[in-house]
Structures are given as C-alpha cells and as structure tokens.
Amino acid sequence: MNFDFTPEQVDMRKAAREYAEKAMIPVAARYDEENETPIDLLKEMIHQGYSTMTIPEDYGGGGMDCVTSCLVVEELSRGCAGITTSAAANSLAAYPILVGGSHEQKEKYLTPLSEGKFAAFCLTEPGAGSDAAAISTLAKKVDKGYMINGRKCFITNGGIADYYTVFATVDRSRGARGLTAFVIERDFPGLEPGKKENKMGIRASNTSEVLFEDVFVPEENVLGKEGGGFRIAMTTLDISRPMVVAMAVGIARAAYEHAVSYAREREQFGKPISSFQAIQFKLANMAMKIEAARLLVLQAAFKVDRQEKHLSAHSAMSKAFAGDMAMEVTTDALQVMGGYGYMKDYPMEKYMRDAKIMQIYEGTSEIQRLVLANEVLKGRV
Ligand code: COS
C-alpha cells in the first residue's frame, strides 16, 4: 500500500488550493449572502478544467483519475462549497453520458462542457427523492422519438444549464425497469427552468425546478437502451459520490483550520484557549475525523479508478461517513469560536450551513446506510 501522491497530483492540489485562495475565498461570502451564482467565475473554472476533470481527453476533458479529482475538489470546496457544487454538477451530469452514451453522443454533448457550457443531472422529483424508482416524469413513445412531460426539482444548475441528463419513465408500472435516460438540450421546445430555490447553504450554486411540457426528444438522444435508465443512474451515483463528499472534507478542513487559528489567538482566563484540554480534545477529534473521512473518500475513488465491479459499498461508506463528519466537525469548530462563530462576520456559520447538504444530496446519509447494509448482507463487505 502506497499513500504517496504522484508529483502531478501534488501539483494539481497545490494549483487548486491557490486558485481557491485567489478567486473563490474573496467572493464566497458575497455570493452566499446574495444567493447568486457567479457565472463568469464558473466559466473561468470550466476553462481551467475544474468541471470536466474526469471526462476523457478525447472528449475535451482533463482525463484525470478520480483520486486526483477528489484532491482538487477538496481544495476548491475549502474555498467555497457552493461554487464548487455548481462546477461539479457538470461532471455529475456528464456521467450518464459517459456510462450509457454512444461515441457520437459523447462527442456531441461532452465536448462543449469543457468550452463553457453548463449541464444538469435531473433525477429528483417532488415525489421521487430517496425512492428514485418512483419517477413519474413520463416519456411517451412517439414517431422517431419520445414526448416528455413532468417536473424535476432541486436540480443543481437547473436554471443555467445548456444540457440536461434526464431520467423519465416509459411506463410507471415497470418501476425501476421503466426508467430511461435522455440528453435534452435547453433549446428543445417545452423545457423551462422553474422556481429558483432559496437554500440554507451552498447558496452560490444554482438550484431550481426543471419543467417539461410536451418536449419532443429524438430517439438518438436516448442514453443506452429504453428501460436501462435506473442502472445508469445508480452507476452514476456510485462513481460520483466520492467526488461529491470530497467537498465534505474540504468544508470540514476550512472550519477546522479556522478553529485552530482562533484557538491559538483567543485568550480567556489569561491564556490562549488552545491551552485548555476541552478545546484540545475538540481539535484532536476534528483532525482525526477529517483524516479518516479523506482516507475513505480516496479509497472509494481508487476503486472507481480501478473500475471495480462492485463500487456501491465503498462509495456509500465514504458518502455517509464524510457527510456526517462534515456536520460534526463544523458544529464543533463553531463551538470553539463561541459567539463569534455564530456571527455572519466570520465564515464559520457558512461552513456549518454548507455542511448540512452533504448529509442530504446525492443520497441521504440514511440511504447510504441502506445501500451499504444491502452490500453487507450480500457478503460483499
Ligand atoms: N448499480 C447498478 N445497478 C443497480 C445498482 C447499482 N448501484 N443498484 C441497484 N441496481 C439495479 C438492481 O440490480 C435492480 O436491477 P434488476 O431490476 O435487473 O434486478 C434495479 O437496479 C433495482 O434495484 P433495487 O430494487 O435495489 O432498487 P430500489 O428501488 O430498491 O432503490 C435505492 C434502491 C434506494 C438504492 C435507490 O432508489 C437510490 O439510490 N436512492 C437514492 C437516490 C439518490 O441518491 N437521490 C439523490 C438525488 S441525485 S443528486
């Protein structure tokens, strides 16, 4: 076992850290406060390659492995998890095309993602959150294609995307086996972004409804085969969850670093509070939990890179552990700062608000345990 990173990985991580410090940290509080998505900054990040890192070079991406992309995402999220969520949503939307798409579909829809276009992954609906197979957006077979009707909600980049990877059912009575994946262009008549959400955290990311009213989608825009959509969605989530919770590690690290420097400087009872064991134990626990989460995330990413057949267990383990860890660490880090941590003058309360989504999106912490328990009972863990 080798825990060393390659010189290239070390360089990528350093560059991402510098980018976050220069371009993201100075603006993070403003976009959070204004609930606005920094489109120009995101386009710059796209041009820097930060939202298409794992897309193969043949299709304009960085051709990077998942481990390296996790190291980079951790650094960017240390800068701002909201901005990073919008950038990473492009990768998430690209995975169904990578997993189920043909060479022509990959060329047509992946290449523009590295040229400044945005994409959105549309799985969730008002009645289908944790129960992804309960999707009711209907794809009715018509001459030369499908007519799509329905509503997606909580879609990252929903209001700004140029391309949407959409899961719809051809027949609700078929359950998971009725789900079919499509690529739908923003210009297809009948597709409209709906209500923009006003969120607790990751407020610099764009989240909105996406509405489909008699949207005609040609046959060539089906990803994989009719009825194969659920498998594409599940495989996408298995592959993408480690990268998503690399964000949790980044948020936790930002909070922890702030707590450590505050504890060194803040004096009470005539001494820096870092000299009290009550604070030291909190800092030690934070450091330990962040390290453990990072190791789980990188192990899951390593398995993605090796294209292991059964990724679900480690992917779910990393998501649940790192998501819960980010909430615990940001809560403790805020506690170290006491009343100051609770004020909007400091970034700590933002870290805590941003951390909460890590236990919810891309599958809640509870769903991860359900997936993991399934794998445990199949004897795969
Ligand atoms: N990879 C490939 N195939 C998978 C799979 C995976 N990880 N997980 C399930 N499948 C297949 C199963 O093998 C089964 O195939 P067959 O019909 O051929 O037997 C099919 O998919 C249905 O599987 P299952 O019965 O386990 O599906 P459930 O409806 O019970 O759903 C969970 C399972 C809960 C795991 C799923 O609904 C889920 O992941 N929910 C969370 C969704 C989510 O993360 N939402 C967040 C929003 S996306 S940003």
Side-chain angles (χ1 to χ4, degrees):
M1 202 186 292
N2 182 359
F3 287 96
D4 290 334
F5 297 121
T6 64
E8 195 198 7
Q9 287 170 330
V10 172
D11 287 350
M12 293 292 301
R13 187 170 60 173
K14 182 165 171 280
R17 186 184 186 119
E18 287 168 2
Y19 184 81
E21 289 188 350
K22 177 178 66 83
M24 298 169 84
I25 292 175
V27 298
R30 173 158 63 87
Y31 286 109
D32 172 67
E33 178 71 24
E34 292 171 358
N35 195 32
E36 278 304 321
T37 306
I39 301 290
D40 289 345
L41 175 57
L42 279 166
K43 284 198 184 242
E44 188 189 283
M45 289 175 75
I46 291 174
H47 289 300
Q48 297 270 351
Y50 285 138
S51 72
T52 49
M53 290 181 283
T54 52
I55 292 179
E57 288 172 355
D58 287 353
Y59 303 114
M64 208 183 275
D65 57 32
C66 188
V67 167
T68 313
S69 77
C70 286
L71 296 175
V72 169
V73 164
E74 179 186 328
E75 295 301 332
L76 298 178
S77 314
R78 177 179 162 272
C80 177
I83 299 170
T84 308
T85 291
S86 253
N90 266 12
S91 298
L92 174 63
Y95 278 131
I97 304 172
L98 277 171
V99 169
S102 63
H103 171 64
E104 288 72 27
Q105 289 170 328
K106 288 176 190 169
E107 251 184 359
K108 184 169 179 190
Y109 292 114
L110 295 179
T111 312
L113 296 185
S114 53
E115 294 166 354
K117 299 286 186 194
F118 291 99
F121 176 81
C122 302
L123 181 69
T124 303
E125 297 183 0
S130 289
D131 186 4
I135 276 172
S136 64
T137 293
L138 192 64
K140 188 166 177 270
K141 186 81 191 78
V142 293
D143 190 28
K144 294 193 172 63
Y146 293 82
M147 197 63 89
I148 313 270
N149 278 285
R151 181 152 70 107
K152 298 288 176 180
C153 66
F154 305 153
I155 304 301
T156 304
N157 290 350
I160 59 171
D162 302 284
Y163 305 112
Y164 296 81
T165 42
V166 178
F167 296 85
T169 178
V170 290
D171 178 356
R172 280 202 79 180
S173 69
R174 283 166 60 182
R177 292 181 177 190
L179 259 58
T180 306
F182 301 88
V183 190
I184 306 186
E185 299 178 23
R186 172 68 184 89
D187 294 342
F188 285 8
L191 184 156
E192 285 299 331
K195 178 178 143 244
K196 182 187 165 193
E197 302 296 348
N198 185 8
K199 307 188 294 291
M200 168 182 173
I202 55 162
R203 287 164 60 81
S205 64
N206 174 279
T207 309
S208 84
E209 290 181 320
V210 183
L211 315 173
F212 303 87
E213 197 181 328
D214 287 341
V215 180
F216 173 75
V217 182
E219 250 154 25
E220 63 260 28
N221 282 37
V222 174
L223 295 171
K225 57 181 192 323
E226 187 182 292
F230 194 73
R231 202 166 272 274
I232 292 176
M234 292 299 115
T235 307
T236 293
L237 294 172
D238 281 346
I239 296 173
S240 63
R241 278 173 181 153
M243 192 181 69
V244 167
V245 278
M247 282 195 244
V249 180
I251 299 169
R253 221 184 81 220
Y256 156 79
E257 287 172 3
H258 258 82
V260 171
S261 66
Y262 180 87
R264 281 202 183 107
E265 282 164 21
R266 170 74 170 167
E267 291 195 3
Q268 288 290 274
F269 306 101
K271 299 181 204 166
I273 62 168
S274 59
S275 62
F276 300 120
Q277 271 194 347
I279 300 294
Q280 289 176 357
F281 284 6
K282 275 195 174 27
L283 300 180
N285 277 333
M286 284 182 225
M288 189 163 58
K289 286 177 185 176
I290 291 170
E291 194 70 23
R294 185 186 292 114
L295 288 171
L296 271 181
V297 167
L298 293 179
Q299 181 183 235
F302 178 72
K303 286 174 182 289
V304 170
D305 289 333
R306 294 215 312 191
Q307 300 183 349
E308 288 193 9
K309 197 163 167 230
H310 299 295
L311 293 168
S312 301
H314 286 87
S315 176
M317 229 186 259
S318 69
K319 172 73 173 61
F321 190 88
D324 292 349
M325 175 283 298
M327 202 62 239
E328 291 161 14
V329 165
T330 53
T331 305
D332 276 358
L334 193 148
Q335 188 69 18
V336 169
M337 286 186 75
Y340 290 105
Y342 200 68
M343 299 301 142
K344 281 189 178 279
D345 301 333
Y346 299 91
M348 197 59 96
E349 58 83 36
K350 174 182 183 293
Y351 298 144
M352 198 172 157
R353 285 186 286 107
D354 286 352
K356 186 60 202 167
I357 196 65
M358 297 293 149
Q359 295 179 300
I360 299 173
Y361 71 3
E362 286 262 323
T364 61
S365 292
E366 292 74 17
I367 285 292
Q368 307 309 323
R369 286 173 171 83
L370 200 135
V371 169
L372 179 53
N374 243 323
E375 295 295 294
V376 168
L377 295 171
K378 282 179 187 158
R380 288 186 187 145
V381 180

